[in-house]
Amino acid sequence: MKDKELAKILYDEKVIKKSEIEVCNYGFLILKMKIFHTIIIILMGILTKNLLQVCAFFLVYDLLRKNSGGYHAKSIWHCYLLTFGITGIFFTFIFAFQKLLMYVRFYY
């Protein structure tokens, strides 16, 4: 079911007003993208055997975003590209830290 169809159903059932259809369409798009992003990142955590670190990252990242105001991108796609970029940097740090720990354990 498409986002616009869902908002139309809500309007037809008199759950929302006609003026709220576009807001609902946008909200459904945001929800769909957040679910997609979460699934991708959790899968990356599972595949890299870093699920605990990913959950900790999500908790801190989400709290930071909600409480700091943060940067607002010009479009939703730019926002999600930045989010994936930040998440990619996080994964890079995880791998680097794991390699550093292996190095320290090996030599000390």
Side-chain angles (χ1 to χ4, degrees):
M1 179 177 291
K2 294 183 180 179
D3 305 331
K4 292 181 180 184
E5 292 174 4
L6 190 52
K8 175 116 175 56
I9 290 170
L10 291 174
Y11 171 71
D12 291 342
E13 294 294 322
K14 302 194 183 333
V15 175
I16 61 172
K17 299 174 190 169
K18 189 170 187 167
S19 61
E20 298 171 327
I21 291 176
E22 287 301 314
V23 174
C24 285
N25 287 336
Y26 182 72
F28 292 136
L29 176 65
I30 297 291
L31 178 64
K32 184 171 51 174
M33 292 190 74
K34 282 186 180 269
I35 290 170
F36 173 74
H37 175 248
T38 303
I39 289 170
I40 293 297
I41 300 304
I42 288 174
L43 284 174
M44 287 174 63
I46 290 170
L47 292 173
T48 60
K49 296 181 174 99
N50 290 308
L51 188 57
L52 182 62
Q53 292 91 331
V54 168
C55 290
F57 169 73
F58 260 135
L59 179 67
V60 172
Y61 184 67
D62 196 47
L63 288 172
L64 183 64
R65 279 178 56 180
K66 286 181 182 175
N67 293 310
S68 68
Y71 170 77
H72 293 278
K74 293 180 182 179
S75 73
I76 189 170
W77 300 107
H78 187 228
C79 177
Y80 277 95
L81 283 174
L82 287 171
T83 301
F84 276 115
I86 290 168
T87 307
I89 291 168
F90 168 74
F91 273 99
T92 303
F93 281 121
I94 286 177
F95 289 126
F97 187 69
Q98 288 174 341
K99 295 288 183 187
L100 179 65
L101 284 177
M102 287 176 21
Y103 175 79
V104 169
R105 287 181 187 156
F106 181 73
Y107 286 104
Y108 293 102

